[in-house]
């Protein structure tokens, strides 16, 4: 998976990711004129490209769409305060994974080692020796012994390597907006529900054969010098409510070091389909059913990367006849 894109997904699309307190440079200021034109072309006409809070209404049904970030940041404090009345007035809070779903996930992870680690061939067995040595060195630089790295599922090792060193100690933290909205709902006794089965992400990542996953992992080995920059850029764009900008930027930045631009574009397209588009479409019936069954407003909160675009949740609800308007965030 392309390195900048994984950093983006870590922050905006993947549940239960690291809480990062990193210092870096916002890469948006580094774009050349040509890169700016490329990014603008990707943004032109993109539905719901900005905004973290949208209100969808149809025939008396009210749905709040909230784009979240899965990383902790002090800038979330006023956001949570503004959203508290929305949660307290809701009849249901939908999350990618609510407390019950997380508990089921933790139980499965404790009893099914194959979710996170390889149970058959290890990475050194499916990779050329030179590629494995590169991967092992990258893992050691993150404090992960090679013998452990050899047994991780490729997607899990990708996530660990995509996490900047400044965030490694906080990998298990759970201070993102999703978790804070869950806390508000618990306090207000608002019921919560998961948008998808708990094993969805595992199924997405493991859809490709192990050999293909391992090759993609090696191809996307992180640049440790820019890891913090990528996380900082993503977080800054989130608080600017410019998530489509962050997404398109990740592709532009990745192209800087690409040896095969077409292959990189194909990888981005596949990742967007598997991690965003397919999940977005699967969530729509869940959201619609919740709205039909719940008298009070429904709040659907999920990684902000799922909001924008032709196949974003906002546009998919518009296609169902909902009128949408942007609310303060």
């Amino acid at each position: 998976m392309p390195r900048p894109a994984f950093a983006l997904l870590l922050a905006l699309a993947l549940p239960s990711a690291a809480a990062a307190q990193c210092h870096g440079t916002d890469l948006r200021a580094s774009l050349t004129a040509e890169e700016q034109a490329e990014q603008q072309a990707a943004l032109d006409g993109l539905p719901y490209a900005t905004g973290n809070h949208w209100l969808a209404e149809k025939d008396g049904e009210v749905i709040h769409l909230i784009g979240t970030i899965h990383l902790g940041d002090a800038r979330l404090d006023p956001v949570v305060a503004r959203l508290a009345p929305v949660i307290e007035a809701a009849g249901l809070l939908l999350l990618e994974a609510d407390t019950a779903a997380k508990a089921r996930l933790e139980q499965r992870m404790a009893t099914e080692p194959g979710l996170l680690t390889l149970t058959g061939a290890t990475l050194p067995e499916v990779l050329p020796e030179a590629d494995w040595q590169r991967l092992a060195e990258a893992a050691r630089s993150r404090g992960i012994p090679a013998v452990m790295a050899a047994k991780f599922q490729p997607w899990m090792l990708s996530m660990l390597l995509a996490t900047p060193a400044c965030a490694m100690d906080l990998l298990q933290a759970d201070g993102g907006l999703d978790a804070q909205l869950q806390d508000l709902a618990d306090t207000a006794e608002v019921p919560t529900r998961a948008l998808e089965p708990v094993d969805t992400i595992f199924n997405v990542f493991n859809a490709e054969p192990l050999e293909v996953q391992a090759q993609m992992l090696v191809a996307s080995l992180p640049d440790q010098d820019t890891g913090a920059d990528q996380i900082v850029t993503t977080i800054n764009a989130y608080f600017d409510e410019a998530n489509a900008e962050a997404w398109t930027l990740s592709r532009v930045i990745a192209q800087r070091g690409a040896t095969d631009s077409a292959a990189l574009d194909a990888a981005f397209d596949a990742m967007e389909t598997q991690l965003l588009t397919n999940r977005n479409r699967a969530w729509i019936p869940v959201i619609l059913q919740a709205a039909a069954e719940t008298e009070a407003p429904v709040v659907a909160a999920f990684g902000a990367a799922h909001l924008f675009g032709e196949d974003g949740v906002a546009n998919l609800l518009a296609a169902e006849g909902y009128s949408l308007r942007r609310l303060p965030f």
Side-chain angles (χ1 to χ4, degrees):
M1 180 177 292
R3 170 69 169 94
F6 206 101
L8 174 75
L9 287 165
L10 186 69
L12 299 184
L14 294 180
S16 303
Q21 300 295 330
C22 296
H23 301 283
T25 300
D26 193 320
L27 294 172
R28 290 179 292 177
S30 72
L31 295 183
T32 65
E34 182 179 356
E35 289 172 335
Q36 290 176 14
E38 178 184 351
Q39 183 184 38
Q40 189 57 53
L43 288 171
D44 285 345
L46 199 64
Y48 306 99
T50 58
N52 288 341
H53 186 184
W54 291 87
L55 184 69
E57 297 177 287
K58 177 186 176 183
D59 299 332
E61 294 179 354
V62 177
I63 305 170
H64 289 267
L65 303 177
I66 298 175
T68 67
I69 190 168
H70 303 308
L71 313 180
D73 191 288
R75 285 170 286 183
L76 286 174
D77 291 347
V79 172
V80 172
R82 285 190 291 270
L83 290 176
V86 174
I87 301 299
E88 292 164 358
L92 177 67
L93 170 62
L94 294 171
L95 296 161
E96 290 178 62
D98 65 350
T99 299
K102 289 178 181 179
R104 292 193 298 271
L105 176 60
E106 290 175 1
Q107 182 178 21
R108 289 194 60 184
M109 290 170 62
T111 58
E112 300 178 38
L115 290 178
L116 301 181
T117 58
L118 298 169
T119 56
T122 60
L123 294 178
E125 295 176 271
V126 298
L127 285 171
E129 177 63 19
D131 286 346
W132 163 244
Q133 291 302 329
R134 288 181 57 214
L135 185 58
E137 179 56 33
R140 283 191 289 266
S141 72
R142 281 286 186 269
I144 305 169
V147 66
M148 291 180 59
K151 299 178 182 179
F152 275 125
Q153 291 281 1
W155 70 266
M156 182 63 185
L157 188 55
S158 289
M159 189 175 76
L160 292 171
L161 296 179
T163 306
C166 55
M168 286 299 289
D169 290 342
L170 299 171
L171 188 60
Q172 299 302 321
D174 198 12
L177 183 55
D178 315 72
Q180 295 191 55
L181 295 182
Q182 172 80 70
D183 290 343
L184 288 175
D186 291 344
T187 300
E189 298 184 343
V190 173
T192 63
R193 189 184 304 167
L195 280 162
E196 61 190 6
V198 71
D199 58 356
T200 298
I201 289 295
F202 298 112
N203 294 336
V204 168
F205 281 125
N206 292 325
E208 297 289 347
L210 176 59
E211 292 77 6
V212 175
Q213 294 183 58
Q215 291 166 5
M216 292 179 65
L217 171 57
V218 173
S220 63
L221 283 178
D223 177 358
Q224 297 181 49
D225 294 332
T226 62
D229 294 341
Q230 291 159 4
I231 290 290
V232 166
T233 302
T234 297
I235 296 175
N236 286 349
Y238 173 77
F239 285 104
D240 289 341
E241 301 189 59
N243 302 305
E245 181 182 18
W247 182 262
T248 54
L249 176 70
S250 68
R251 188 182 294 232
V252 170
I253 295 297
Q255 287 287 5
R256 289 178 175 178
T259 57
D260 188 335
S261 295
L264 181 66
D265 280 335
F268 264 91
D269 290 342
M271 177 180 59
E272 184 172 351
T273 297
Q274 294 171 358
L275 288 174
L276 298 180
T277 301
N278 290 347
R279 294 171 69 206
N280 293 348
R281 291 189 173 277
W283 292 350
I284 294 301
V286 178
I287 295 172
L288 294 180
Q289 182 176 354
E293 296 175 348
T294 308
E295 184 174 347
V298 169
V299 178
F302 41 77
H306 294 276
L307 265 177
F308 59 83
E310 294 287 344
D311 294 301
V313 173
N315 200 51
L316 292 175
L317 281 180
E320 293 287 341
Y322 283 80
S323 62
L324 281 88
R325 59 187 173 97
R326 184 175 172 180
L327 295 181
F329 181 73

